[in-house]
Amino acid sequence: MDEKIEKLAEIVRSSERIVFFGGAGVSTESGIPDFRSVDGLYSQQWDYPPETILSHSFFMKKTEEFYRFYRAKMICTSAKPNPAHLKLAELEREGKLTAVVTQNIDGLHQAAGSKKVYELHGSVLRNYCMKCHKFYGIEAITESEGVPHCDCGGIIKPDVVLYEEGLDNDTVSGAVNAISNADTLIIGGTSLNVYPAAGLIRYFSGKNLVIINMAPTQMDGAAGLLICDKIGKVFSAI
């Protein structure tokens, strides 16, 4: 492992345009549960499967039940950035890292100090009225009960991408541009099973592909460096 850490450190030192592509595994070390891990949301009991609850059609038909699950399982205001978030922000300040592309919706990259973050699936920190489009902070959800409503009477919806909804075009365009211009792509904490987000890595044509993940991914064979360990632990060592 020490040899792999040193190789990663050398890759970082020699790179000028690093892009980090991350998933739920980046945030689990901050105490935010992963959907598909053994201890994740998918292994817990609920009235409906999480994929069903977090769908657009469920939100529209059973809005109150959606919010009961959303408040209980999707919001974790006590979570703090971990060493992975902090190292990425440090690399950006040093001019090494050009962007973070994340599937997470917790806002921890920005909390750690990262500026260029493409949130493919949105953020729990942003919410908007479906009627007048007024924006609200997370307090509109956490400090209300049942279905939150705007002053105009419209329903307040989280600015997150639910199942059956498409990704934001501008966010995808920015992420693709960053990845396609990167000389190093570090993939961390993701199974690469969630599409279309995972498909964005095909735009990478740079020199170094690094994968840091606890479990195997479909791209392991293409990686120049593969590290099977917790990403916060790895980043703390470089």
Side-chain angles (χ1 to χ4, degrees), residues 146-208:
V147 179
H149 286 86
C150 175
D151 296 335
C152 76
I155 294 175
I156 298 175
K157 181 181 183 294
D159 190 16
V160 299
V161 179
L162 302 176
Y163 290 101
E164 303 169 351
E165 296 180 343
L167 304 185
D168 177 75
N169 288 334
D170 289 341
T171 302
V172 170
S173 178
V176 167
N177 183 64
I179 292 171
S180 62
N181 285 290
D183 56 11
T184 294
L185 177 62
I186 301 176
I187 299 172
T190 174
S191 62
L192 294 178
N193 288 327
V194 178
Y195 284 83
L200 300 184
I201 63 174
R202 72 179 185 272
Y203 290 97
F204 176 67
S205 59
K207 182 179 180 181
N208 305 298

Side-chain angles (χ1 to χ4, degrees), residues 18 43 140-141 206 226:
I18 301 172
S43 65
I141 309 300
L226 178 63

Side-chain angles (χ1 to χ4, degrees), residues 91-194:
L91 292 175
E92 184 183 46
R93 290 193 297 271
E94 293 174 352
K96 289 283 186 181
L97 184 137
T98 58
V100 169
V101 181
T102 181
Q103 299 172 82
N104 297 333
I105 59 175
D106 48 50
L108 291 180
H109 285 292
Q110 291 92 330
S114 290
K115 304 299 182 184
K116 184 65 70 174
V117 182
Y118 294 103
E119 297 174 306
L120 297 177
H121 296 150
S123 173
V124 297
L125 303 180
R126 300 189 303 269
N127 305 274
Y128 65 93
C129 173
M130 298 177 69
K131 184 177 180 181
C132 73
H133 305 294
K134 178 180 178 180
F135 268 84
Y136 288 86
I138 194 171
E139 297 80 15
I141 309 300
T142 59
E143 297 179 6
S144 63
E145 296 181 357
V147 179
H149 286 86
C150 175
D151 296 335
C152 76
I155 294 175
I156 298 175
K157 181 181 183 294
D159 190 16
V160 299
V161 179
L162 302 176
Y163 290 101
E164 303 169 351
E165 296 180 343
L167 304 185
D168 177 75
N169 288 334
D170 289 341
T171 302
V172 170
S173 178
V176 167
N177 183 64
I179 292 171
S180 62
N181 285 290
D183 56 11
T184 294
L185 177 62
I186 301 176
I187 299 172
T190 174
S191 62
L192 294 178
N193 288 327
V194 178

